[in-house]
Amino acid sequence: MLCLSPRMASGTQEKQYTPALLSFFIYNPTFGPREGEEEKKILFYHPSEIEKNEKIRNVGLCEAIVQFTRTFCPTKPAKSLHTQKNRQFFFEPEDNFWMVMVVRNPMIEKPNKDGKPPTVEYQEEEILDTVYGAVVRQCYSMYKLFNGTFARAMEAGGVEHLMQKLDKFFYRYLQTLHLQSCDLLDVFGGISFFPLDKMTYLKIQSFVNRVEESLSLIKYTAFLYNDQLIWSGLEQDDMRILYKYLTTSLFPRHSEPELAGRDSPLRPEVAGNLLHYGRFLTGPSKLKDPEAKFRFPKIFVSAEEGHEELHLIVYKAMSAAVCFMIDASVELTREFCEQLDGLVGPQLTLLASDICEQFTVNRRVSGPEKEPQFKFIYFNHMNLAEKSTIHMRKTASVSLTSVHTDLMKILGDINCDFARFEEDEEIIVKAMTDYWVVGKKSDQRELYVILNQKNANLIEVNEEVKRLCATQFNNIFFLD
């Protein structure tokens, strides 16, 4: 992606280029051990039009780097390779299966006088290993969510079957990677939880219990409102990657106007005598259509013995969405979908209206929001809860932040420092732009604060952060 910088140099503009994906490949060094068989190692390569010998050469180089670094630390091979023009990231998700992502470093093109070619400056330090290393791990997690492990595909149909699955999945998935939008939230891979009062939360829990009792086929349920999680019966790591898929892919594709109360511009469905606004986001778009297909996407989640395969039904009414997961061996019929629609639609419509009402009342009580002097990102490693007032919008394709990229880079650097040590600590940075950046790590929780107080000193900044902790996180213990 090309971004034109507003900077001017001698009356002509500099061109600024953001990070871009150069190549992405998956290989297994045990599949072509002999000379002349090197191509057999390559299971997937993007872009596919690259000449065969170059693919073999690139894979061979990565293999050599990994083996070389193993001589220093057998249990921890290389994770990344830094060069002037690009950066390579290595990840071994399963034994002998390697994923490699090559990212072009950001660069600035400066025009020269006298018709000379422009001067290119590569900004090598602008890319953070933690951020893009997390992106590679996400690629594998998303593949595993919809296809299971690489080993499972091998057992089902050998190398050819695995290659077909990799090609089908990554051909589409890599198009959704927008590397210029990646930041600290990708490192956390957290879940945003919707704040609720106890009574409304109990109503939702009661609704989930009633539906699971009435439709005994349902194994797991997850309930979301406004793209934020309220209830989940899945394991944390499974919910984390499913949540990423829902909020960055499925929900944006089916976005609708924000609804207040029970008024809706959408045409309501009628179930018996009850009006409701429920509809399937996966599966049939119209239940009454005689040509409707009752096929749902399948996902793989953790089970006591490996993984279990499930149908994923996502059903939405107004701003509330429910995910129902059913054993993949069960065939889902029109009758079942009609039964689910009739049972869930009216109840979910009423619940969505109640949640909206309660949310509106709470906002009215708390009064109009003033622009605070600070912005923050909070993450809890224990329950994966994250909250950000820095991000105005975060999807797969865009990351709208209310602060400059330089400040986001400082946040990433502080996070890298935290990752090196297990002890709780605090780091305070004075940025060149007169902003103060504070990072606190305490008891599996991390808090990052950006303060716009030009003339503040260290003591005043510390007091401001204490006030923030007291107002925003009054029930969470942070070490001073």
Side-chain angles (χ1 to χ4, degrees):
M1 181 184 171
L2 166 65
C3 290
L4 282 179
S5 168
R7 297 184 212 172
M8 303 294 284
S10 307
T12 55
Q13 277 194 331
E14 292 178 354
K15 287 180 183 174
Q16 196 161 351
Y17 295 85
T18 53
L21 181 69
L22 292 180
S23 59
F24 183 96
F25 48 92
I26 300 167
Y27 71 93
N28 187 320
T30 64
F31 289 175
R34 286 190 289 274
E35 197 173 331
E37 294 183 343
E38 290 87 357
E39 196 181 3
K40 291 180 181 177
K41 298 175 185 179
I42 305 170
L43 301 169
F44 173 80
Y45 201 105
H46 167 86
S48 56
E49 59 271 14
I50 295 288
E51 200 257 328
K52 183 179 84 170
N53 286 336
E54 191 180 338
K55 289 181 185 177
I56 291 169
R57 196 164 53 247
N58 291 338
V59 168
L61 177 63
C62 292
E63 208 181 329
I65 291 162
V66 168
Q67 291 293 57
F68 174 68
T69 54
R70 273 207 163 119
T71 58
F72 301 101
C73 186
T75 55
K76 287 185 180 177
K79 289 183 179 176
S80 67
L81 172 69
H82 298 208
T83 66
Q84 183 194 15
K85 294 183 179 179
N86 59 48
R87 191 157 313 175
Q88 300 184 22
F89 299 92
F90 313 107
F91 177 49
E92 186 184 22
E94 298 174 37
D95 284 347
N96 293 314
F97 286 98
W98 284 89
M99 300 175 77
V100 180
M101 181 172 79
V102 184
V103 178
R104 188 199 63 211
N105 289 331
M107 58 184 190
I108 296 172
E109 222 177 59
K110 295 183 175 179
N112 282 321
K113 295 175 181 176
D114 308 324
K116 290 178 184 175
T119 304
V120 175
E121 284 181 11
Y122 287 94
Q123 300 174 295
E124 300 160 54
E125 299 310 311
E126 293 302 304
I127 282 187
L128 289 172
D129 282 358
T130 48
V131 171
Y132 293 96
V135 171
V136 182
R137 292 193 296 275
Q138 273 173 21
C139 289
Y140 173 71
S141 297
M142 201 64 80
Y143 170 86
K144 193 171 76 167
L145 178 70
F146 290 103
N147 299 280
T149 61
F150 295 159
R152 181 185 176 276
M154 290 288 292
E155 287 163 17
V159 178
E160 279 300 317
H161 181 62
L162 173 60
M163 288 173 75
Q164 285 168 10
K165 277 191 163 297
L166 292 172
D167 200 56
K168 184 180 176 185
F169 177 81
F170 283 109
Y171 173 75
R172 285 186 298 179
Y173 183 72
L174 292 178
Q175 293 175 39
T176 69
L177 280 187
H178 296 270
L179 299 181
Q180 75 278 7
S181 300
C182 297
D183 57 32
L184 189 58
L185 290 194
D186 291 283
V187 177
F188 294 144
I191 296 168
S192 179
F193 287 90
F194 190 82
L196 268 186
D197 67 305
K198 288 175 187 173
M199 282 308 296
T200 314
Y201 182 79
L202 286 171
K203 279 183 189 175
I204 289 165
Q205 205 166 5
S206 171
F207 161 77
V208 169
N209 292 342
R210 282 199 309 273
V211 173
E212 287 185 349
E213 195 177 320
S214 303
L215 302 170
S216 57
L217 289 177
I218 295 170
K219 288 194 81 170
Y220 307 104
T221 306
F223 192 107
L224 298 95
Y225 185 85
N226 260 0
D227 293 2
Q228 292 176 292
L229 186 65
I230 293 176
W231 163 268
S232 170
L234 282 175
E235 289 287 327
Q236 266 189 11
D237 282 337
D238 293 322
M239 190 62 231
R240 162 190 254 169
I241 197 67
L242 177 59
Y243 177 80
K244 173 127 184 113
Y245 163 68
L246 295 171
T247 54
T248 62
S249 180
L250 186 69
F251 291 162
R253 284 207 310 268
H254 294 86
S255 58
E256 63 188 39
E258 189 63 35
L259 307 175
R262 293 182 181 87
D263 301 325
S264 171
L266 299 173
R267 185 180 300 154
E269 297 290 329
V270 181
N273 298 319
L274 293 166
L275 278 173
H276 74 84
Y277 298 101
R279 61 199 176 102
F280 289 92
L281 294 194
T282 59
S285 53
K286 290 180 182 174
L287 269 181
K288 304 287 183 245
D289 184 357
E291 301 294 313
K293 298 275 194 301
F294 293 88
R295 284 200 301 269
F296 293 87
K298 289 178 180 154
I299 61 170
F300 291 80
V301 301
S302 307
E304 285 180 15
E305 296 177 11
H307 290 80
E308 58 182 323
E309 192 176 1
L310 304 164
H311 293 291
L312 175 64
I313 299 175
V314 183
Y315 190 89
K316 192 171 187 187
M318 292 153 64
S319 294
V322 192
C323 303
F324 299 111
M325 283 144 274
I326 295 167
D327 197 297
S329 60
V330 177
E331 189 179 343
L332 299 178
T333 61
R334 180 186 294 273
E335 290 71 35
F336 175 80
C337 291
E338 286 174 348
Q339 187 187 356
L340 187 146
D341 183 59
L343 175 71
V344 174
Q347 293 185 61
L348 190 59
T349 302
L350 289 169
L351 259 182
S353 181
D354 288 346
I355 297 168
C356 181
E357 213 168 283
Q358 185 248 318
F359 183 61
T360 309
V361 168
N362 285 357
R363 287 185 73 169
R364 208 176 293 136
V365 168
S366 62
E369 285 188 15
K370 294 173 186 170
E371 181 68 24
Q373 285 227 299
F374 52 76
K375 296 184 185 296
F376 67 86
I377 293 176
Y378 166 78
F379 180 67
N380 183 337
H381 288 271
M382 289 177 282
N383 65 357
L384 305 182
E386 78 178 15
K387 186 176 180 182
S388 171
T389 60
I390 287 172
H391 294 79
M392 296 176 284
R393 186 160 162 250
K394 173 82 173 157
T395 66
S397 59
V398 66
S399 177
L400 284 177
T401 56
S402 51
V403 300
H404 195 269
T405 49
D406 290 351
L407 294 172
M408 292 304 294
K409 169 81 168 43
I410 293 172
L411 295 184
D413 289 334
I414 294 174
N415 174 257
C416 290
D417 286 340
F418 285 165
R420 288 192 193 102
F421 306 103
E422 289 185 11
E423 296 84 16
D424 294 343
E425 59 179 315
E426 182 175 30
I427 296 173
I428 300 178
V429 178
K430 177 73 157 53
M432 296 289 283
T433 50
D434 291 326
Y435 282 86
W436 287 87
V437 183
V438 182
K440 283 174 83 78
K441 180 185 176 187
S442 176
D443 191 28
Q444 295 286 304
R445 298 177 177 93
E446 293 180 32
L447 175 66
Y448 301 85
V449 185
I450 295 174
L451 292 152
N452 182 13
Q453 292 191 342
K454 185 176 179 180
N455 299 317
N457 59 36
L458 206 56
I459 296 167
E460 288 167 341
V461 167
N462 203 30
E463 287 302 315
E464 194 66 45
V465 172
K466 278 184 185 175
R467 273 197 291 276
L468 165 67
C469 291
T471 54
Q472 297 283 339
F473 306 101
N474 59 345
N475 59 343
I476 294 170
F477 175 68
F478 277 109
L479 289 173
D480 286 333

